[in-house]
Amino acid sequence: MATQTRDISIKCRLLILAPIVVGLFLAVLAAFCAGQRAEPRSNAAGQLVVMSRPAIPAELAEEAEIKSQAFLKFFKTPTRQFIPLGFYAVPYDIRNPEQLKALRQRGIILFHKYHGRQKIDDAMVDLESARRAGVGVLQNLPQTFFESGSLSFWQNHIASLMRNEVLSKQILVWHLPEEIKTEDLGKLEQIGSMIRAMDAKKRPVITYASASEAKYLKRLGGIVDAVVFGAYPSLYRPRPRADIKRRIEKAYESGVPIVMGGLEALKGRRNWTRRKDVRFDAYLALISGAKGIMWYKYHEAKQRPKLLEAILEVATELNGPEHLGEVLLLGKEPRLLRCQLLKGPGFSPPASAYEKTDKKILKRYDSIQWTAREYKNYLHIFAVNAAQKVEKIKAVDDGGAAYRVEVKFGPVSSTSSVVHVISEGRTIDLSGGYFADSFEPLGTHIYKIALN
């Protein structure tokens, strides 16, 4: 009887301790997993990395393509397809025709001036400067009057901008008041409808969105021809630069047919946007399906000549002699090309579209983000490494060697034995239709290969 009582006592103690033991085990496991998420994660060596594509729902793909072609024709000449590239906040140089011309020669084709109370006479001086420079204007509509201005005010304002037939030709795109609240989208739609009814040239209408809720984005996407949407990872606190992809992806998932990337060129809380940030952001946005880029903001970038030059280097690649923007917009995806991860972390840090929910919605992407186009007897491959250590104090090397990746691309059918790496002054051997290369964290490479 004593033995039986002792056995029962032991069983009772085990029953009491079991939940505690299980709880401790789960806590340790959670801590371990959290630690694992904080470190670079690797795919299996040789694992294929799928080509990135715009996150457009299948049922909207055809409509989005039709709208995209209609939008892009406004950036087309008889011999070239340009990709829309522009600056926000050009307050003074918009009155400097020589500076506008210099920026245009480097690939910038859209200039926007923030002016909350801009009168018609002021706008006309800007348009005259643009006419002398031979550039197009992303026409500002005064934000301050969005709420206070009646519909008749907006009708008169838009009509006055178009009254001068000579200067109105410099308006390439209309920019509606931006960051409008959900409850005010009805009025924004009325202003957009006025422009469409009054503008015989049917020039595109765009605006900038900051909210990431799906219903908001879908409604906004139905009002304008293109939504400018992006991320500013350095502005308030360091964030993963993969956020830019998540924002663009969220807009497409929500039903926006055309997205332009809104990218930073500014002084953040801890550091300025760096040269490699500019290049990475631009090509990640385009790899993710953005149909153009607006950089925010020219007024700050101009204060850092190296930062401004970094933007102009990218713009020149895209709208200059290499025609990379045209390649991205008009080229065809190769059918057989593959990318294999050979070494290094397999994923980006968790990225967010900054949804206003109680639960953070985070997403990891393959470290290598890439796309490719066959165009005019050349294959171009655009690739970036989204793996990085998000440094809290000051971005230096983004994790260094621990976040470096190596990949292999192929097969490529080419009579050439070399791959040209655009803007880097180097080549890579092409052997048996394959080539390999390495990427530093936030590294960007563009490859050009002659086809058979």
Side-chain angles (χ1 to χ4, degrees):
M1 184 70 179
T3 302
Q4 185 177 4
T5 302
R6 186 167 57 251
D7 290 341
I8 292 172
S9 177
I10 292 171
K11 288 178 182 179
C12 289
R13 284 197 293 271
L14 288 173
L15 288 171
I16 293 170
L17 289 172
I20 299 173
V21 172
V22 171
L24 288 171
F25 172 76
L26 291 175
V28 171
L29 180 61
F32 172 77
C33 291
Q36 289 293 96
R37 287 195 298 270
E39 296 299 320
R41 295 167 57 192
S42 295
N43 281 329
Q47 181 168 324
L48 292 178
V49 180
V50 178
M51 183 187 297
S52 180
R53 291 182 174 86
I56 301 172
E59 65 274 14
L60 301 179
E62 184 176 353
E63 178 187 359
E65 179 60 23
I66 292 171
K67 289 185 176 181
S68 179
Q69 294 305 315
F71 174 71
L72 292 172
K73 74 179 182 181
F74 287 93
F75 308 94
K76 198 171 187 177
T77 69
T79 59
R80 289 284 303 272
Q81 172 67 68
F82 291 89
I83 190 167
L85 304 177
F87 275 119
Y88 279 125
V90 188
Y92 305 114
D93 281 348
I94 202 166
R95 299 281 178 89
N96 183 340
E98 292 305 313
Q99 185 60 26
L100 292 182
K101 189 181 298 183
L103 293 170
R104 172 65 184 84
Q105 290 171 346
R106 297 294 301 275
I108 301 295
I109 60 176
L110 289 173
F111 304 89
H112 181 267
K113 173 182 178 177
Y114 284 111
H115 195 313
R117 295 180 175 273
Q118 187 177 37
K119 295 182 179 180
I120 295 300
D121 289 346
D122 185 89
M124 288 301 168
V125 177
D126 295 345
L127 291 173
E128 170 59 23
S129 175
R131 186 193 66 78
R132 291 169 58 192
V135 303
V137 168
L138 180 52
Q139 184 58 50
N140 172 71
L141 294 182
Q143 185 88 14
T144 303
F145 296 111
F146 176 74
E147 292 184 6
S148 62
S150 64
L151 292 178
S152 60
F153 164 84
W154 285 107
Q155 189 168 21
N156 291 333
H157 188 86
I158 294 163
S160 297
L161 286 170
M162 293 190 289
R163 192 165 291 133
N164 187 317
E165 294 184 6
V166 175
L167 295 184
S168 66
K169 290 179 181 179
Q170 304 310 131
I171 299 175
L172 185 55
V173 179
W174 297 95
H175 196 283
L176 297 183
E178 62 181 40
E179 299 189 44
I180 300 304
K181 298 177 182 177
T182 302
E183 57 268 27
D184 294 326
L185 288 179
K187 185 172 182 179
L188 191 74
E189 187 170 22
Q190 289 178 315
I191 298 171
S193 296
M194 283 182 193
I195 293 173
R196 297 185 196 283
M198 298 168 67
D199 185 5
K201 297 181 183 296
K202 305 300 179 185
R203 286 165 285 198
V205 178
I206 72 173
T207 194
Y208 178 88
S210 60
S212 57
E213 284 64 49
K215 289 183 179 179
Y216 175 88
L217 288 167
K218 183 177 182 179
R219 176 83 187 280
L220 189 63
I223 294 171
V224 297
D225 294 293
V227 173
V228 184
F229 200 48
Y232 304 89
S234 305
L235 188 55
Y236 299 112
R237 59 187 177 90
R239 294 190 58 89
R241 304 205 78 84
D243 280 356
I244 291 157
K245 179 178 179 68
R246 184 69 193 110
R247 295 272 278 186
I248 292 171
E249 185 177 77
K250 181 62 183 289
Y252 278 129
E253 289 173 344
S254 302
V256 177
I258 305 169
V259 182
M260 294 179 64
L263 306 182
E264 69 171 32
L266 44 75
K267 183 179 181 181
R269 179 166 292 182
R270 292 179 175 84
N271 59 274
W272 283 80
T273 308
R274 302 165 299 174
R275 181 181 185 275
K276 71 173 178 179
D277 297 334
V278 168
R279 190 167 171 78
F280 173 87
D281 294 352
Y283 283 105
L284 178 59
L286 297 172
I287 288 168
S288 304
K291 300 299 183 183
I293 296 170
M294 289 296 300
W295 279 281
Y296 179 83
K297 52 188 173 175
Y298 176 79
H299 185 52
E300 284 196 26
K302 189 182 177 183
Q303 300 172 33
R304 301 278 285 194
K306 290 183 179 180
L307 172 55
L308 180 59
E309 180 59 26
I311 296 169
L312 297 180
E313 286 173 358
V314 171
T316 302
E317 288 177 349
L318 291 165
N319 278 337
E322 288 288 351
H323 295 209
L324 294 184
E326 182 173 278
V327 170
L328 280 161
L329 295 175
L330 302 184
K332 294 184 178 180
E333 292 183 3
R335 296 178 59 186
L336 300 178
L337 186 67
R338 299 290 183 269
C339 173
Q340 287 184 310
L341 179 67
L342 302 179
K343 185 179 179 182
F347 299 95
S348 72
S352 170
Y354 315 154
E355 293 93 342
K356 292 181 180 178
T357 61
D358 293 334
K359 183 179 180 181
K360 290 184 179 180
I361 303 173
L362 303 176
K363 186 170 182 179
R364 282 183 180 269
Y365 295 101
D366 289 325
S367 54
I368 288 294
Q369 293 292 309
W370 69 285
T371 191
R373 299 290 189 274
E374 292 179 349
Y375 189 65
K376 293 186 177 180
N377 207 39
Y378 283 95
L379 170 67
H380 288 81
I381 303 172
F382 304 81
V384 302
N385 174 20
Q388 67 168 134
K389 180 180 179 181
V390 181
E391 300 180 84
K392 295 182 179 180
I393 299 177
K394 187 175 181 180
V396 180
D397 64 358
D398 301 286
Y403 292 79
R404 184 183 298 131
V405 300
E406 295 180 16
V407 297
K408 180 170 71 173
F409 291 100
V412 179
S413 179
S414 175
T415 56
S416 175
S417 60
V418 296
V419 177
H420 294 273
V421 189
I422 291 177
S423 298
E424 295 186 36
R426 66 186 177 101
T427 60
I428 303 172
D429 291 337
L430 181 65
S431 178
Y434 290 84
F435 71 95
D437 201 7
S438 63
F439 292 72
E440 295 299 315
L442 303 183
T444 303
H445 300 314
I446 305 161
Y447 308 104
K448 183 177 181 179
I449 311 164
L451 297 173
N452 291 339

